[in-house]
Amino acid sequence: MKKNVVGMLALSAMAFAMGSAFAQETAKAAPEMTAAEKEQAKKIYFERCAGCHGVLRKGATGKNLEPHWTKKDKDGNVTEGGTLKLGQQRLEKIIGYGTDGGMVNFDDILTKEELTLMAKYIQNTPDVPPEYSFKDTMDSWKVMVPVDKRPTKQMNKYNLKNMFSVTLRDTGEVALIDGDTKEIRSIVKTGYAVHISRLSASGRYVYVIGRDGRLSLIDLWMEQPAVVAEVKIGFDARSVDTSKFKGFEDKYAVAGSYWPPQYVIMDGDTLKPRKVVSTRGMTVDGEYHPEPRVASIVASFTKPEWVINIKETGQILLVDYSDIENLKTTTIGSAKFLHDGGWDASKRYFLVAANASNKIAAVDTKTGKLAALVDVAKIPHPGRGANFTHPKFGPVWTTGHLGADVLTLISTPSDKKSDAKFKEYNWKVVQEVKHVPGNLFVKTHPKSKHLWADSPQNPEKELAESVAIWDVADLSKPVKVINVAKDSGLPVTKATRRAVHPEYSADGKEVWISLWGGKTDQSAIVVYDDATLTLKKVITDPKMITPTGKFNVFNTQHDIY
Ligand code: DHE
């Protein structure tokens, strides 16, 4: 068996070498770079580019960046399939100024020299990073406070239900902010450019995943909540969740890695690695993909299963964790490239964006089958979406779009007798509500009358710093737009402070918006009263650096949105 694998590797290495030799003969040589320049570019690529374009540069949210079209041929041949080959100058412009297709500008982040360097780097053959084995994962595992040294009851007086775990993106930390008093209770060191926080079923543990694959476990019961265990699950990661089915509460955690493409199952209270599963394989189009990254993960309430969405293959996995030694997985083909998503109001259906196909895939976690593939506007980006009852169409789930100026409302099934009349609309787009381009997140709450949407990727400063709010009882009423940056009272800066990620308090009465400034600008979280849409509080502190995602303990624990 081992021999076969070695043989296969040797064959593919040969094919790879032949491929590159052929490419070198026909194409212009890639711009030369010193070893030090390559190292520097590799680091920038990983930190700034790999998330959208992939480590192997095969493209996903961002375009393919392989040399066959980033680099011009020696004879001046400049098109591939009707697409202009790029070359140094054009690449520098694109990286610096961005594109209408959604590529953001980096001229305010990278120096002129770095822009030149990156343009050179992506005309060279992509570096293939090393693999990361079960042993590597195990070797990285640390328990700072063993389970028997942890409190047996809550040792602080905080209202944990209303605590918020706030991503401080560029410092690699989360701030634990008391939702009642708005005070920062702890700032906890986590992974690099930390991405999301999720809660254990009991609400005691916060799981925080960094882009560098570092997973941190925070115990909220400690007098001063702190990290009690840590493990590195890969080199590049975005998602984590826990086991939430009855009888398995707090038992397991699962984290998804972008590189290498795999997910890791761990013990929930210590993060001790239990199993690593590769996600490499065939796409829904029947082609092998070497880098199918793990996008969103969610724990089912219907069965002891996780819904694990594999970006590049378009396969949705239902991973049964009732017997992890004999792991059973249902593989459901949907569409490419899977990204983020959330539950419908009944929590039976998980809806996930297939952003390159402009579709929303809905999985029925009761039957273990695809319930629908719904065509929507360009580049859906729901976050976890927003559920409310539409006066005409009944229960709907909402997504925003990165590539279109609308919010899309999809009718979702309901078992309630009173909702039977809405059945004819199920899985149809029942309404598109006019918004502005550049939306990332939408949010509502079962106790709220409002639907909130941000637009942080909008090129206009005024719009990127604002949020829009609709009355869900009558979506035709004029939308209320609030300029969060102005409300914050912070001094005006030339650079945009993006208003991003609305999040409700546990009682559904407040909405918290991050005002995401540059690393050296003062940022803030601006809190609004949801009933009156008036400013309630500006939470700001020198330590509040680049706040983005906020995760209210109760709402995240129970998937309320
Ligand atoms: Fe995210 C969720 C991936 C850029 C803020 N982001 C997710 C999820 C994925 C993902 C797969 C779903 C996790 C889950 O539910 O299990 N994000 C990516 C990227 O690949 C991408 C496009 C590029 C990158 O390099 O990472 C990217 N994301 C960003 C940002 O730039 C944001 C705006 C700011 C930041 O903190 O980095 C950002 N992503 C978020 C947030 C969530 C998220 C706040 C969780 C939303 C929620 O309410 O659950």
Side-chain angles (χ1 to χ4, degrees):
M1 179 66 190
K2 206 170 170 193
K3 238 183 180 171
N4 278 347
V5 173
V6 173
M8 269 157 55
L9 283 176
L11 266 179
S12 50
M14 221 160 77
F16 182 72
M18 281 165 66
S20 350
F22 179 69
Q24 269 162 24
E25 248 175 56
T26 54
K28 190 177 155 192
E32 282 186 13
M33 299 176 77
T34 63
E37 282 175 336
K38 267 203 164 169
E39 253 338 281
Q40 187 193 354
K42 200 155 99 179
K43 184 165 181 287
I44 297 175
Y45 185 84
F46 169 69
E47 288 174 0
R48 304 280 176 194
C49 322
C52 291
H53 299 279
V55 167
L56 302 180
R57 298 200 226 133
K58 293 203 171 287
T61 313
K63 292 218 158 132
N64 178 300
L65 292 182
E66 289 174 297
H68 63 80
W69 87 279
T70 51
K71 181 163 62 82
K72 286 186 179 171
D73 290 354
K74 71 171 187 323
D75 55 4
N77 171 14
V78 288
T79 67
E80 182 184 273
T83 314
L84 204 61
K85 288 202 181 188
L86 297 166
Q88 183 71 22
Q89 277 180 359
R90 177 95 188 99
L91 282 169
E92 280 183 29
K93 278 211 175 104
I94 293 178
I95 304 170
Y97 304 122
T99 65
D100 291 343
M103 163 84 180
V104 291
N105 60 305
F106 282 90
D107 59 344
D108 54 350
I109 295 175
L110 302 178
T111 62
K112 216 170 160 299
E113 291 71 34
E114 285 171 334
L115 293 176
T116 307
L117 183 78
M118 294 315 290
K120 282 186 186 174
Y121 181 70
I122 57 175
Q123 294 174 74
N124 280 274
T125 308
D127 292 302
V128 181
E131 297 297 319
Y132 194 74
S133 67
F134 181 79
K135 183 175 180 303
D136 295 327
T137 315
M138 201 55 154
D139 290 348
S140 74
W141 173 52
K142 281 184 241 153
V143 177
M144 288 79 162
V145 186
V147 177
D148 59 1
K149 299 269 176 327
R150 291 182 205 161
T152 50
K153 59 179 180 28
Q154 186 181 332
M155 299 304 285
N156 54 59
K157 295 216 161 58
Y158 310 145
N159 172 12
L160 292 183
K161 268 170 92 173
N162 202 28
M163 190 70 87
F164 287 69
S165 177
V166 177
T167 296
L168 301 180
R169 190 187 184 284
D170 290 3
T171 59
E173 294 169 325
V174 294
L176 296 173
I177 304 183
D178 189 321
D180 293 354
T181 64
K182 319 286 184 283
E183 279 167 53
I184 300 175
R185 295 294 182 197
S186 297
I187 293 199
V188 179
K189 197 80 205 146
T190 56
Y192 163 79
V194 39
H195 212 81
I196 66 164
S197 296
R198 293 290 189 244
L199 264 293
S200 69
S202 69
R204 170 179 181 171
Y205 290 113
V206 185
Y207 298 80
V208 182
I209 187 84
R211 274 186 174 80
D212 56 358
R214 178 158 136 197
L215 176 62
S216 312
L217 178 68
I218 300 170
D219 184 357
L220 293 178
W221 280 10
M222 290 164 77
E223 204 177 332
Q224 176 75 4
V227 174
V228 290
E230 216 172 69
V231 67
K232 186 170 165 69
I233 62 106
F235 294 112
D236 191 7
R238 301 291 181 281
S239 48
V240 61
D241 211 351
T242 67
S243 51
K244 288 192 175 169
F245 187 66
K246 209 166 177 293
F248 292 86
E249 293 94 339
D250 297 16
K251 190 168 166 61
Y252 296 123
V254 60
S257 167
Y258 265 18
W259 187 270
Q262 58 201 29
Y263 61 88
V264 180
I265 300 174
M266 292 148 282
D267 285 339
D269 55 357
T270 61
L271 302 185
K272 180 180 181 186
R274 298 289 297 267
K275 196 160 203 130
V276 180
V277 184
S278 170
T279 53
R280 288 191 172 100
M282 307 304 276
T283 69
V284 284
D285 304 329
E287 278 165 22
Y288 177 74
H289 201 292
E291 191 191 355
R293 298 176 286 173
V294 179
S296 43
I297 301 182
V298 75
S300 167
F301 296 94
T302 312
K303 291 181 186 173
E305 282 182 349
W306 291 300
V307 183
I308 302 190
N309 299 288
I310 312 302
K311 189 185 283 289
E312 279 79 4
T313 56
Q315 311 280 10
I316 303 172
L317 311 181
L318 302 181
V319 177
D320 178 343
Y321 55 73
S322 61
D323 178 4
I324 58 168
E325 299 310 319
N326 303 285
L327 202 68
K328 290 185 208 73
T329 303
T330 307
T331 305
I332 302 169
S334 65
K336 296 188 296 193
F337 295 119
L338 298 176
H339 193 69
D340 52 354
W343 293 109
D344 75 313
S346 75
K347 299 197 174 75
R348 170 174 169 175
Y349 301 95
F350 186 75
L351 293 96
V352 54
N355 58 20
S357 314
N358 304 327
K359 290 183 197 300
I360 295 291
V363 174
D364 182 347
T365 54
K366 197 166 167 190
T367 61
K369 291 186 175 159
L370 188 71
L373 256 185
V374 185
D375 286 306
V376 294
K378 208 169 159 196
I379 321 183
H381 191 283
R384 284 172 287 169
N387 290 291
F388 63 92
T389 304
H390 190 285
K392 185 164 168 214
F393 302 111
V396 292
W397 177 88
T398 312
T399 181
H401 294 264
L402 259 170
D405 58 357
V406 290
L407 305 182
T408 301
L409 275 47
I410 297 172
S411 153
T412 53
S414 159
D415 284 342
K416 282 191 205 148
K417 264 201 180 143
S418 54
D419 288 337
K421 55 183 178 293
F422 303 122
K423 203 169 182 309
E424 61 175 304
Y425 304 120
N426 289 172
W427 304 128
K428 291 193 177 119
V429 172
V430 290
Q431 191 172 349
E432 283 185 335
V433 179
K434 180 91 180 68
H435 185 35
V436 294
N439 164 257
L440 282 180
F441 300 106
V442 288
K443 196 62 62 83
T444 186
H445 187 279
K447 290 192 183 140
S448 168
K449 294 189 177 77
H450 290 126
L451 170 66
W452 293 66
D454 61 15
S455 44
Q457 303 295 92
N458 195 289
E460 270 185 52
K461 187 170 188 273
E462 174 92 16
L463 292 176
E465 294 184 337
S466 300
V467 290
I469 305 114
W470 290 264
D471 178 344
V472 292
D474 184 357
L475 292 161
S476 65
K477 275 194 193 163
V479 60
K480 164 125 181 148
V481 177
I482 297 182
N483 188 314
V484 183
K486 277 197 189 130
D487 277 356
S488 75
L490 294 177
V492 178
T493 46
K494 201 166 155 249
T496 304
R497 285 194 181 100
R498 295 170 205 281
V500 69
H501 198 245
E503 176 78 349
Y504 275 83
S505 54
D507 60 8
K509 289 188 174 162
E510 290 172 355
V511 176
W512 292 34
I513 315 274
S514 301
L515 198 55
W516 173 19
K519 205 171 170 181
T520 50
D521 299 325
Q522 184 57 58
S523 290
I525 290 173
V526 185
V527 181
Y528 290 92
D529 181 302
D530 181 61
T532 58
L533 305 183
T534 51
L535 177 69
K536 214 168 157 184
K537 175 95 187 167
V538 179
I539 310 173
T540 188
D541 187 286
K543 289 194 225 95
M544 180 83 76
I545 299 166
T546 60
T548 55
K550 298 160 299 305
F551 304 89
N552 173 271
V553 164
F554 188 77
N555 294 337
T556 311
Q557 177 189 359
H558 298 283
D559 289 79
I560 296 170
Y561 35 82

